[in-house]
Amino acid sequence: MFAQYILKRLALIIPTLLGIMLLNFVIIQLAPGGPVEQMIAKLQGMDTGATSRFTGGASGEIGPQGSTQAAQNAAGSGAPSKYRGSQGLDPAFIAELERLYGFDKPIHERFIQMIGNYSRFDFGQSYYRSIDVIDLVLEKMPVSISLGLWSTLIIYLISIPLGIRKAVKDGSKFDVWSSGVIFVGYAIPSFLFAILLVILFAGGRYFDIFPLRGLVSDNFDDMSFWQQMRDYMWHLTLPICAMVISGFAGLTMLTKNSFLDEIGKQYVLTARAKGLTEKRVLYGHVFRNAMLIVIAGFPGLFISVFFTGALLIEVIFSLDGLGLLGFEATINRDYPVMFGTLYIFTLMGLVLKIISDITYVLVDPRIDFEKRA
């Protein structure tokens, strides 16, 4: 039964999640430039700006001033160290930094402890912001939800009808000129569209119609409900347009090719021979078969737009979301934020894949995942 298949998929989430976390944990932990080296570089005056947001110690036990003083007191020891740039620092001070960031334990103990905490959704505290990771993610979530949800919805609302029409009108003038527009959208990255929109409509050179910064206005709390909705959509217009323009091309062509493949099959010819109208053939028979491949791509598209595709858009429009958070965490080697967001994103992606399978059945009840397995 389909319910048994869903239960099996839910059970597979655990080993899949563990495997992904283990692989990334090993790669990141063994890579150079970890938080200890970042702190040593900062203390030695070699900070390149990656940790420019540092405002306090990871747990309040060592702050930047105290660490600097300790480093100065420890200078001159000349003891060798496994960390780059640590020459002249007391090994006891290096050991204190390792204990502060949890590197005083073997790698397998750190991983087991991390997974145990994550199973309770305890993601720890950011090294450089002195705030819980879950609070930091929740703080950035509205921006990413707004960009990801609206962009994905609009992309599907545009791409599916357009792809169907292109399939029906294959080879016509409409198909040719719309393909030209699609190829332009596919070829130009979203951040270039974003820059163009800023120049044209956000006071860059021509028109000053839309705001360039933030998700809402400063006086948002003083507005009425409808004014807030208008202000919210006003701020989102340009970022979403930039993401939709570059995002609908691939899905449109996927929809078109899927429908063309189904239209040429024997069951369509049989349905037409029985006297069914073209609309009945298209939406009663072709649609549910052709849409399967489109639905299959939904989790990947949503995750891409939601978590990664909006990074440069967030930077250009000064939107502080999860994409920017993940980028800064990677640059700063903020491991709690890196692994915490990876855990959350991976878990959501696996759940969305199961939702995609459920949608398969809703579109075409004939599908039996147990027999397919």
Side-chain angles (χ1 to χ4, degrees), residues 13-265:
I13 286 180
I14 297 176
T16 304
L17 190 58
L18 284 174
I20 293 173
M21 294 300 298
L22 177 60
L23 180 62
N24 285 273
F25 183 85
V26 171
I27 293 174
I28 293 175
Q29 292 284 335
L30 297 181
V36 175
E37 290 179 317
Q38 293 271 0
M39 177 57 71
I40 291 173
K42 186 178 183 67
L43 298 178
Q44 298 282 35
M46 297 182 293
D47 184 28
T48 59
T51 56
S52 58
R53 287 178 176 264
F54 184 86
T55 57
S59 61
E61 300 172 47
I62 279 187
Q65 294 180 352
S67 298
T68 304
Q69 185 63 44
Q72 292 172 351
N73 294 338
S77 64
S81 174
K82 60 183 177 181
Y83 299 107
R84 294 180 300 175
S86 61
Q87 291 77 10
L89 295 180
D90 188 352
F93 174 72
I94 300 298
E96 177 67 11
L97 280 180
E98 289 183 326
R99 187 194 64 79
L100 180 64
Y101 292 112
F103 282 79
D104 57 330
K105 301 175 182 178
I107 186 171
H108 67 278
E109 290 186 15
R110 298 203 303 270
F111 179 75
I112 293 173
Q113 182 181 12
M114 183 187 73
I115 293 299
N117 292 335
Y118 284 11
S119 65
R120 304 188 301 271
F121 288 92
D122 178 10
F123 302 106
Q125 193 177 69
S126 168
Y127 286 159
Y128 304 109
R129 303 198 188 196
S130 298
I131 182 175
D132 289 341
V133 172
I134 191 66
D135 293 335
L136 197 56
V137 170
L138 292 176
E139 178 186 330
K140 312 300 182 184
M141 190 71 78
V143 171
S144 295
I145 287 179
S146 297
L147 292 176
L149 183 62
W150 289 113
S151 297
T152 305
L153 179 62
I154 294 174
I155 286 172
Y156 267 79
L157 289 176
I158 293 175
S159 299
I160 292 177
L162 180 59
I164 294 174
R165 182 166 178 80
K166 284 177 64 61
V168 174
K169 301 290 184 179
D170 184 42
S172 66
K173 290 183 178 180
F174 170 80
D175 182 42
V176 173
W177 71 258
S178 61
S179 294
V181 174
I182 289 172
F183 290 144
V184 171
Y186 185 79
I188 302 179
S190 60
F191 73 90
L192 289 182
F193 277 120
I195 294 173
L196 177 63
L197 292 175
V198 168
I199 294 174
L200 293 176
F201 302 112
R205 178 167 295 183
Y206 297 97
F207 304 101
D208 190 5
I209 301 175
F210 296 98
L212 186 58
R213 185 177 300 275
L215 191 62
V216 294
S217 299
D218 294 335
N219 60 336
F220 183 79
D221 293 334
D222 299 329
M223 299 178 182
S224 65
F225 174 76
W226 293 112
Q227 288 175 329
Q228 288 179 339
M229 291 298 297
R230 179 180 177 276
D231 182 75
Y232 170 73
M233 298 307 300
W234 183 48
H235 280 76
L236 280 178
T237 299
L238 293 187
I240 289 178
C241 284
M243 297 177 70
V244 169
I245 289 174
S246 62
F248 83 101
L251 185 61
T252 299
M253 297 307 298
L254 177 65
T255 304
K256 175 191 174 181
N257 294 333
S258 179
F259 270 79
L260 282 177
D261 183 58
E262 291 296 326
I263 287 173
K265 290 184 177 180

Side-chain angles (χ1 to χ4, degrees), residues 271-301:
R272 287 171 175 168
K274 290 182 178 180
L276 297 180
T277 63
E278 192 66 22
K279 186 175 181 180
R280 177 71 181 277
V281 171
L282 187 63
Y283 293 100
H285 296 273
V286 175
F287 182 80
R288 64 181 181 181
N289 294 323
M291 284 300 295
L292 291 177
I293 190 172
V294 178
I295 293 172
F298 175 79
L301 176 64

